[in-house]
Structure formats: C-alpha cells, structure tokens
Amino acid sequence: SNSSFGLRPRTGSDGVTRQLAECAVCFEDLCAEPCAVFWDASSRRVCGHLLHYQCAQELPSKSCPLCRCDFDKAVVLPSLERQPEVWFRTCDVKGDGYLSKQEVINVLLSQFPLDVDRFEARMEDAWPQVDPNGDGYVSRDEFFAPETGLLALVRANLTDDMRVEPVEAAPPDVRTQRNAWFDHFDEDKTGSLTQEELTRALVKTYALGADLAQVRTMRDFVAAVFPAFTAEATISRDAFLRPGEGLADTIIAQLDHLSPRPSPSGV
C-alpha cells in the first residue's frame, strides 16, 4: 500500500467500496482540506509524505510523524489548475527538476477525491505517452508539453468518473456491536489492532477528526491504557472484547461522556 499516507476503504452511497487517501494525524480524507509538504531551510522537501496543512501546523515537534525526518517548515500544496509551475516544484521531492510517477500520484490523491485503484491504473496506462524516453521520470518540458504532457493528461483524467463521493458510513456501535466494530477496524484481518489502529478507530467512532485537540487527547488516552492490556505491539480480539475486564469495557466507561456516531441499523 501507499506509504505517503493511509489508504482507507470508503463505501459510498452507491454501495461500492473504494480506496481513499487519509491524513495520518486526524484520519480524515486528505482531499477534504489543504495539504502540506515538509521543506528544509533550502526549500527542498525532506520526505515524500503529505498531511493536512492544519495538522502539520499543530505537530508537537518539527519532524514528520510518518518518518521522523526533521523539517524547517510546512508548505501548502498549491493548486494544479491555478499554479502548475509552483505545483511542479513543490511535488519534486528530490528537487532535481523531475517527477516520478508515484510522486505525481501521491500528490493528486491528496488533493482530489479520486478512486485510488482506478486512477493508478489510468496513470499506468498513460505514462508512456508523457514519458517518451521511458526513464521513469517526467522532466519540466515533458510535464508542460501541450496536449501530450503530464499536465494535459492529468487535467483530462481528473474527470467525474474518477472521483469518489468522500462519504464514509458510520462504524458499528462499539457499545452494542463489539465484534462487528472490531472487524470493521481490523482492516488487514489479523485478529488484532495496533495502538495506532485503535486510536484511529476511536477517533472515527466518536467523530473527533475535525478537532485536533480531541484527537491529541484520544491519542494520549490510548497510549496510557494500551500497555495495561497487552505487552505486545497489538491487542488481540480476546483481550479487547473480554467481558468485564477487556480493553473495550475500559474504553466505553472512560468515554461515556462522548457519543458515538449513529451506526447503521442491523450491522
């Protein structure tokens, strides 16, 4: 899966599940807010990661939360439509005047509600057209070439059929549908949750993503209780769901003042 951000399944109103890119701090869709990249003092990107600009502004330290690279400042990703020249420079992770296919895909997925699998397949098919010498990279000239360049290709493919309605169904109710809730957030189906997966699950369950202070509080809460229930990097379904003494009961009791999002009936 893509390492520049989380790719998460979204089931739209049409009942079809597609992948969408998610901010690693607030767990909301990347395309919902302006995004940022991290620059060093020489105005070069320190890594390929992307976060919401607001989330980047409120990080506790100037290091990328995904790779721990230190940065000097967070810079807003410009608009491809309005500022293609600046967009090209900002996307150029190495600062060498070339963009790789993955750099382009990563940034576009952070800025538009695109169906990841379909868009990556479309870009894969069209790449030879924009990279005629086949070196795997697009130069500035190849990017801006009229009609055949990457900019023209991207504009032609950011069409409605590629876009996803970024609406997420509410998860099952952790208080009354615990097994279904656990299954919903155990996306890799390992029968266990990591501390980060549990944090994300609770932020989603209680719809806290829009409030970064609440996200931080939840992160701290999970970090405090998680080690009491497991010495491992993950917590098993049994240790989580055990009646009366599992982590689920502790969480529900501690978060009694919060209301979960209404869950779909009969899930």
Side-chain angles (χ1 to χ4, degrees):
S1 71
N2 199 303
S3 58
S4 289
F5 35 66
L7 289 178
R8 299 296 181 181
R10 287 281 182 284
T11 304
S13 58
D14 57 3
V16 177
T17 300
R18 304 176 179 89
Q19 301 277 342
L20 236 71
E22 195 173 86
C23 175
V25 172
C26 68
F27 308 112
E28 296 290 306
D29 295 334
L30 272 174
C31 62
E33 302 279 341
C35 289
V37 296
F38 300 123
W39 278 8
D40 62 17
S42 311
S43 300
R44 294 186 51 169
R45 284 178 72 179
V46 301
C47 64
H49 295 126
L50 300 139
L51 295 179
H52 284 151
Y53 179 72
Q54 192 59 45
C55 294
Q57 291 293 94
E58 300 198 26
L59 289 171
S61 64
K62 284 194 165 184
S63 66
C64 171
L66 289 160
C67 67
R68 306 296 173 213
C69 279
D70 293 331
F71 65 88
D72 184 60
K73 59 185 171 185
V75 178
V76 177
L77 265 178
S79 161
L80 174 66
E81 285 297 319
R82 294 191 300 276
Q83 299 172 287
E85 184 76 52
V86 187
W87 189 91
F88 182 92
R89 288 202 307 272
T90 308
C91 296
D92 180 6
V93 175
K94 293 180 181 172
D96 58 3
Y98 290 85
L99 299 182
S100 71
K101 181 166 46 186
Q102 202 57 56
E103 282 171 352
V104 172
I105 289 172
N106 288 352
V107 174
L108 292 172
L109 292 178
S110 76
Q111 291 189 299
F112 299 94
L114 298 169
D115 180 339
V116 173
D117 295 334
R118 289 190 65 204
F119 188 72
E120 287 193 328
R122 179 86 56 95
M123 290 293 287
E124 195 74 42
D125 288 345
W127 193 258
Q129 170 196 317
V130 298
D131 177 24
N133 63 2
D135 64 358
Y137 293 88
V138 167
S139 68
R140 196 189 163 286
D141 288 345
E142 289 170 334
F143 182 81
F144 286 102
E147 296 181 26
T148 59
L150 183 58
L151 180 59
L153 171 77
V154 167
R155 284 174 168 164
N157 281 290
L158 290 178
T159 49
D160 286 345
D161 70 315
M162 277 289 149
R163 295 178 189 240
V164 180
E165 175 194 359
V167 174
E168 190 175 11
D173 191 324
V174 67
R175 299 167 301 184
T176 58
Q177 302 164 304
R178 297 182 186 193
N179 267 299
W181 185 91
F182 192 93
D183 287 339
H184 181 86
F185 289 108
D186 178 19
E187 291 177 349
D188 49 9
K189 305 305 173 200
T190 59
S192 61
L193 295 175
T194 65
Q195 185 174 311
E196 187 68 6
E197 285 172 336
L198 180 57
T199 301
R200 176 182 181 269
L202 294 170
V203 168
K204 290 287 189 188
T205 296
Y206 293 96
L208 306 178
D211 185 338
L212 289 178
Q214 292 253 51
V215 172
R216 274 197 299 274
T217 300
M218 185 64 80
R219 213 176 263 287
D220 292 344
F221 167 66
V222 173
V225 299
F226 199 83
F229 290 86
T230 176
E232 310 295 324
T234 62
I235 187 162
S236 67
R237 174 190 293 271
D238 180 57
F240 186 78
L241 298 176
R242 193 174 295 134
E245 53 190 54
L247 181 51
D249 281 322
T250 298
I251 287 170
I252 292 162
Q254 291 286 331
L255 302 181
D256 193 45
H257 60 290
L258 296 174
S259 298
R261 294 168 61 189
S263 99
S265 58
V267 172

